[in-house]
Amino acid sequence: MNNNRAPKNNGTPPPRRTSPQRPQQSAGNPSPHVRPSDPNARKTAPNTANNSPRPQRPYGNDVAELSSRRRYIAEKKSARRAGIIAFFTVFLSLCLITAGIFALLINKGQDTGANDFMIMNIEGSPKVEIPMSEAYQNEMLYIDFSAVAKLCGFSAVGDASGITYAFTSSSGIDQYITFRFDSNSVTVNGHDVTMEGIAFMKDEVLRIPFSFIDANISGLVAEVDEKERTVTITREKMTGSRPDDPKYEEIVLLLQPEIPVTSPFEGEEDVPDPMDVEFISDLSEYEQYMNPADRDAYLILINKENPVDHTFGPDDLEYVPQKYAVYSGEYQATMRAIAAKALTAMLTEAENYGINDVKVTLAYRNYWTQNWLYTGYIDEEMAKGLSREQAEEIVKTYSAPPGCSEHQSGLGADMHNVYFQTDKELEDFEYTEAYKWLKDNCWKFGFVVRFPKGKEHITGFQFECWHYRFVGRYHAYQMYTQDLCLEEYLQKLASEN
């Protein structure tokens, strides 16, 4: 807007306001005397004051007034808008506060619901929530023992009356716990035990009083947090165990079987026969293979001092069952028939103890295959900058020259639960529950650990926790109980004869 516009007065300034004066009569034209009261006078008499042009405000003042009014209106609208915003702000705040209160009430209800459960944290098993009404019965805390049994490596056999959990200790003694449903009577290794409460099945798992764990099983760490309402049960770690290489204490039942003591006046017929082994699996059809009648027929020794030539080889080879072999087809492992059947019995029993991932990678290997492997290992060592003599000396510590490998006998097998992995992982098979079970129980099936730890200077090979050799139950039992490798045992037999 241009504020220099002139006022609306035809370009002339407004007339100056002066005091009214009486009109003067001219000498030649006297005006007639007019009475003021005459009505015509109002029509004809000039009114100088009223006929004077009315003064106009400058246009600039109109703009200022308009701007002031606009500001007033704008401020009024702004104040009204601010009031509306304030109202809605307060309203929304009240809504949020109300919603927060409801959320707190809901969460409180949910927390209360969560506290109605006891959380079972059992190592190796999914977390389980048990309603407090079931976790505590008659003021006693109950736990799911089925998950504990799995953690301990127990196998289970049950019927309508109860359930039995069994395992074999490191000393080779079979141990068991028998629970009777809806009863507080328990049998532990032949000892009758009375629990604080009854045992019962719920959701296909056995529930027993928590106090039974501390009173009867060693090797577990069982903790209860009443505040957090949790029960945590884990394996007890050995002193010096590392997070990346955990080692656990042995699971032991505090009540051990009563072993008969032989009186010096009693005859040998009273001594229990170690060959009468009991299994939790029905292995009756394999007994003739595990404990052969011709017990000395499988003591052949093949090593660096006792080699065989390329013509040597068994004529009764058969495939290891595909279920227990890694490879199939022409690469599927073969063994002598008696050894293959005894091995089948061993891995069948292992499955019932929860060890179901051990498979055979290699068994029989002929002279020419061994030669190919041996020379290949030498080439690998020479590629590191060693001479042939140096490379061969190193290779001899872990691979037999052709004709010196007992795999050529058809009585040995490599089996473990590590496939296509590193040498370090293969060696760590020693620390698995599978190896512990195999080491302590393989004698029952006629097998021994062929290259045991601490015997390297005798066998000429490094410790191999994965290599097992069939010799028959009688000789395997003698070697196991006397801690003898095959070379030592054969020398002992020779000296006795």
Side-chain angles (χ1 to χ4, degrees):
M1 179 182 294
N2 186 357
N3 289 329
N4 293 322
R5 285 183 64 182
K8 298 178 181 180
N9 216 358
N10 297 324
T12 59
R16 186 176 56 186
R17 189 171 181 177
T18 59
S19 300
Q21 297 181 358
R22 289 178 62 88
Q24 299 292 327
Q25 294 184 2
S26 62
N29 188 17
S31 79
H33 178 71
V34 181
R35 293 172 59 186
S37 59
D38 189 346
N40 294 325
R42 297 181 180 177
K43 296 180 180 179
T44 59
N47 189 340
T48 305
N50 292 335
N51 290 335
S52 301
R54 193 173 178 181
Q56 301 291 325
R57 291 184 179 179
Y59 192 74
N61 292 338
D62 289 342
V63 171
E65 182 178 355
L66 181 60
S67 298
S68 176
R69 183 170 182 80
R70 285 179 176 173
R71 283 196 301 273
Y72 170 76
I73 293 173
E75 290 173 357
K76 192 171 182 180
K77 287 182 178 180
S78 178
R80 187 182 299 112
R81 189 181 301 110
I84 293 172
I85 293 173
F87 170 78
F88 279 105
T89 301
V90 173
F91 177 76
L92 290 175
S93 298
L94 291 174
C95 290
L96 292 174
I97 292 172
T98 303
I101 293 173
F102 276 112
L104 289 175
L105 292 175
I106 292 173
N107 289 335
K108 184 177 180 181
Q110 291 176 345
D111 292 342
T112 302
N115 289 334
D116 288 338
F117 290 90
M118 177 65 77
I119 309 300
M120 299 289 173
N121 295 313
I122 299 178
E123 184 179 359
S125 298
K127 181 169 61 177
V128 177
E129 293 183 350
I130 299 179
M132 292 297 294
S133 59
E134 296 180 7
Y136 280 93
Q137 299 190 29
N138 297 325
E139 299 183 354
M140 287 180 294
L141 176 62
Y142 272 71
I143 62 168
D144 286 350
F145 188 76
S146 299
V148 176
K150 179 181 177 182
L151 172 63
C152 295
F154 298 165
S155 59
V157 177
D159 54 28
S161 62
I163 186 170
T164 297
Y165 293 95
F167 71 104
T168 302
S169 67
S170 60
S171 59
I173 300 175
D174 292 331
Q175 306 197 38
Y176 69 95
I177 308 172
T178 299
F179 296 96
R180 298 169 182 84
F181 298 146
D182 302 321
S183 172
N184 61 354
S185 177
V186 181
T187 301
V188 180
N189 286 332
H191 302 274
D192 292 331
V193 176
T194 301
M195 295 190 298
E196 294 182 346
I198 66 171
F200 64 93
M201 294 294 290
K202 177 70 176 181
D203 299 329
E204 299 184 355
V205 297
L206 179 70
R207 295 192 180 179
I208 66 169
F210 173 78
S211 57
F212 178 86
I213 300 294
D214 284 336
N216 293 278
I217 303 178
S218 174
L220 294 176
V221 178
E223 300 176 339
V224 179
D225 190 327
E226 295 285 355
K227 182 178 179 181
E228 297 295 330
R229 299 195 176 187
T230 59
V231 175
T232 303
I233 300 177
T234 59
R235 288 286 304 273
E236 182 179 359
K237 291 183 174 62
M238 298 176 63
T239 302
S241 177
R242 303 194 309 270
D244 62 334
D245 185 20
K247 295 180 176 59
Y248 301 99
E249 297 288 350
E250 182 181 5
I251 299 296
V252 176
L253 299 183
L254 300 182
L255 293 174
Q256 288 295 302
E258 295 181 355
I259 302 176
V261 178
T262 303
S263 168
F265 301 102
E266 294 176 344
E268 291 187 0
E269 63 273 13
D270 296 324
V271 179
D273 185 357
M275 298 303 98
D276 294 334
V277 179
E278 295 183 358
F279 303 104
I280 61 175
S281 311
D282 182 7
L283 301 178
S284 55
E285 64 176 302
Y286 297 102
E287 182 64 24
Q288 59 180 317
Y289 307 108
M290 298 182 289
N291 189 24
D294 187 0
R295 68 184 191 184
D296 298 335
Y298 307 99
L299 291 178
I300 181 173
L301 177 64
I302 301 177
N303 58 20
K304 298 169 188 175
E305 286 73 35
N306 299 276
V308 293
D309 62 21
H310 67 277
T311 63
F312 178 87
D315 56 5
D316 60 346
L317 294 173
E318 69 174 45
Y319 285 111
V320 171
Q322 179 60 61
K323 180 180 182 180
Y324 301 124
V326 172
Y327 305 110
S328 60
E330 62 177 314
Y331 298 105
Q332 186 171 336
T334 59
M335 300 182 73
R336 292 190 61 178
I338 191 169
K341 289 180 171 60
L343 181 140
T344 299
M346 179 165 63
L347 295 184
T348 298
E349 182 78 351
E351 280 188 309
N352 286 326
Y353 278 92
I355 300 169
N356 51 24
D357 58 350
V358 172
K359 294 182 182 295
V360 176
T361 56
L362 174 69
Y364 169 73
R365 189 161 57 203
N366 63 29
Y367 181 96
W368 302 113
T369 302
Q370 185 65 33
N371 181 68
W372 174 76
L373 285 172
Y374 184 74
T375 55
Y377 289 139
I378 292 177
D379 291 341
E380 289 181 6
E381 296 294 340
M382 291 178 62
K384 299 176 183 178
L386 301 178
S387 66
R388 174 170 289 277
E389 291 75 16
Q390 292 173 325
E392 191 166 357
E393 286 301 315
I394 292 176
V395 172
K396 283 181 179 180
T397 65
Y398 61 83
S399 180
C404 301
S405 170
E406 76 156 22
H407 280 291
Q408 195 171 339
S409 72
L411 297 172
D414 291 345
M415 52 188 180
H416 45 78
N417 58 5
V418 183
Y419 314 118
F420 311 109
Q421 303 299 316
T422 65
D423 290 341
K424 175 65 168 58
E425 290 174 313
L426 182 60
E427 293 167 2
D428 285 347
F429 178 63
E430 174 189 0
Y431 305 113
T432 65
E433 292 299 319
Y435 170 71
K436 293 176 183 178
W437 189 90
L438 288 171
K439 177 176 68 72
D440 294 329
N441 292 277
C442 65
W443 69 267
K444 301 174 185 178
F445 309 91
F447 286 88
V448 294
V449 178
R450 177 61 182 92
F451 304 111
K453 182 177 289 188
K455 307 290 185 177
E456 293 87 348
H457 62 291
I458 300 173
T459 63
F461 291 98
Q462 64 185 18
F463 166 54
E464 293 185 357
C465 55
W466 57 86
H467 189 132
Y468 296 82
R469 162 66 189 272
F470 180 81
V471 293
R473 183 183 295 160
Y474 175 83
H475 296 297
Y477 174 76
Q478 303 300 328
M479 294 170 63
Y480 174 75
T481 56
Q482 298 176 51
D483 190 25
L484 299 175
C485 64
L486 182 58
E487 285 83 356
E488 290 176 305
Y489 183 63
L490 292 178
Q491 185 177 2
K492 179 176 182 293
L493 290 180
S495 64
E496 291 176 351
N497 294 331

